[in-house]
């Protein structure tokens, strides 16, 4: 199957590479021509203008936009609306706000163009591991894209089946799920990232407490000097708190026990804020997720070891290089 990809950053380029490995054809476009040339060398079809990009796609076209949320995505989808034809499908795989999806889908629908939102999780590891995909849109559009989604998803792998799932959507066991109407995919991904904030914060605070156990102000005999890399490693094996985020923490601590290479400045991509806003709209209590979000705000003013752990995890799973803020 053919896919057009706009946006060849860490995620977009690796999505193209994974599809190429599975025998799909990809037409690629990016403002930076060098990124286009690089993927051309790996088997993709490059385009130097948006018009040329659209012309190289067979109808019905499937165009995946993998750009930062907000204005870059807004402008690009607007430009595509002027160039695509009825029956074509626009896919937003970035971290867009679900309410923007609903609005954009209506605008495209007026032109007969389909819209599918795909919350994409997997970071820089997705090329090899596959991507967890949370999808919103009309069923017929999602079904049409199924060959691409199967290739991108991790598949069942070695994870045992969950007892009692008989009759439920088998796609979830493959690592992708049609979550419902337009915006549903990004809504689920939004909450996914809000939970991620909370999980990361819990690990970060835990390691900070372990690190502080050797403080000189503690009573003699009550001081402990833990090797955090070893603690992370033993927790990975049989513990109820084992997870991929813990795996990434273990990698970071083994390579840099003091995390000296991390500033502790922790950015947020927007989804944590949107998750808390959704909780407010719904009247749902979300103390942990709210606190984790506020801690990221605080990290830009002062940096604790816990915040360096957060920085390390973000770098490990997404290649996010943190900026040095005040107190860094």
């Amino acid at each position: 199957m053919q896919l057009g990809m706009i946006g060849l950053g860490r995620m977009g380029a690796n999505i193209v590479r994974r599809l190429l490995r599975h025998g799909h054809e990809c037409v690629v476009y990016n403002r930076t021509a060098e990124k286009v040339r690089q993927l051309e060398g790996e088997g993709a079809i490059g385009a130097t203008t948006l018009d040329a990009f659209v012309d190289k796609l067979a109808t019905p076209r499937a165009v995946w936009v993998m750009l930062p949320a907000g204005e870059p995505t807004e402008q690009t989808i607007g430009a595509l609306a002027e160039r695509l034809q009825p029956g074509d499908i626009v896919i937003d795989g970035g971290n867009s706000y679900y309410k923007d999806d609903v609005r954009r889908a209506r605008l495209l629908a007026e032109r007969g163009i389909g819209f599918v939102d795909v919350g994409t999780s997997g970071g820089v590891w997705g090329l090899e591991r596959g991507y967890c995909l949370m999808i919103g849109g009309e069923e017929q559009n999602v079904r049409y894209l199924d060959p691409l989604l199967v290739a991108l998803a991790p598949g069942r792998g070695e994870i045992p089946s969950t007892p009692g799932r008989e009759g439920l959507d088998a796609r979830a066991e493959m690592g992708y799920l049609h979550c419902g109407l337009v915006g549903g995919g990004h809504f689920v991904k939004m909450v996914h990232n809000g939970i991620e904030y909370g999980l990361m914060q819990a690990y970060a605070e835990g390691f900070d407490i372990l690190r502080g156990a050797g403080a000189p102000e503690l009573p003699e005999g009550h001081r402990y000097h833990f090797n955090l890399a070893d603690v992370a490693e033993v927790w990975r094996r049989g513990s109820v708190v084992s997870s991929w985020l813990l795996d990434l923490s273990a990698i970071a601590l083994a390579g840099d026990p003091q995390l000296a290479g991390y500033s502790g400045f922790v950015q947020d991509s927007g989804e944590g804020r949107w998750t808390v806003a959704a909780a407010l709209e719904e009247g749902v209590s979300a103390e942990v997720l709210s606190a984790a979000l506020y801690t990221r705000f605080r990290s830009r003013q002062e940096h604790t070891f816990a915040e360096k752990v957060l920085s390390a995890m973000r770098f490990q799973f997404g290649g996010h290089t943190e900026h040095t803020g005040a107190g860094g």
Side-chain angles (χ1 to χ4, degrees), residues 75-240:
Q75 290 181 352
T76 300
I77 292 179
L80 286 171
E82 299 293 332
R83 292 166 170 81
L84 298 181
Q85 299 174 354
D88 294 342
I89 301 173
V90 173
I91 306 152
D92 182 358
N95 288 327
S96 291
Y97 189 34
Y98 73 96
K99 293 184 179 180
D100 289 336
D101 292 330
V102 175
R103 174 177 52 80
R104 291 167 184 159
R106 287 172 180 165
L107 292 174
L108 291 171
E110 293 174 358
R111 298 172 180 264
I113 301 168
F115 181 88
V116 172
D117 53 288
V118 180
T120 308
S121 182
V124 296
W125 298 73
L127 174 59
E128 302 299 334
R129 292 169 55 110
Y131 300 91
C132 175
L133 305 173
M134 296 144 271
I135 306 153
E138 294 183 10
E139 178 69 24
Q140 63 184 22
N141 291 332
V142 176
R143 288 290 181 189
Y144 177 76
L145 299 171
D146 197 70
L148 301 172
L149 302 173
V150 169
L152 291 174
R156 285 187 174 86
E158 299 178 357
I159 299 175
S161 296
T162 300
R165 278 198 53 82
E166 296 79 7
L168 298 178
D169 194 334
R171 291 174 292 187
E173 296 183 8
M174 299 292 290
Y176 73 108
L177 178 67
H178 183 200
C179 300
L181 299 176
V182 165
H186 277 149
F187 192 101
V188 174
K189 176 58 162 51
M190 173 188 76
V191 177
H192 164 284
N193 280 29
I195 293 171
E196 180 185 293
Y197 281 30
L199 291 172
M200 292 172 70
Q201 187 63 33
Y203 282 126
E205 291 177 9
F207 282 115
D208 207 6
I209 293 168
L210 289 169
R211 181 174 179 266
E217 58 267 25
L218 293 175
E220 188 174 351
H222 292 177
R223 299 175 201 150
Y224 302 96
H225 300 281
F226 300 112
N227 184 310
L228 300 188
D230 288 344
V231 172
E233 190 63 31
V234 76
W235 282 353
R236 293 181 62 221
R237 303 176 185 278
S239 165
V240 296

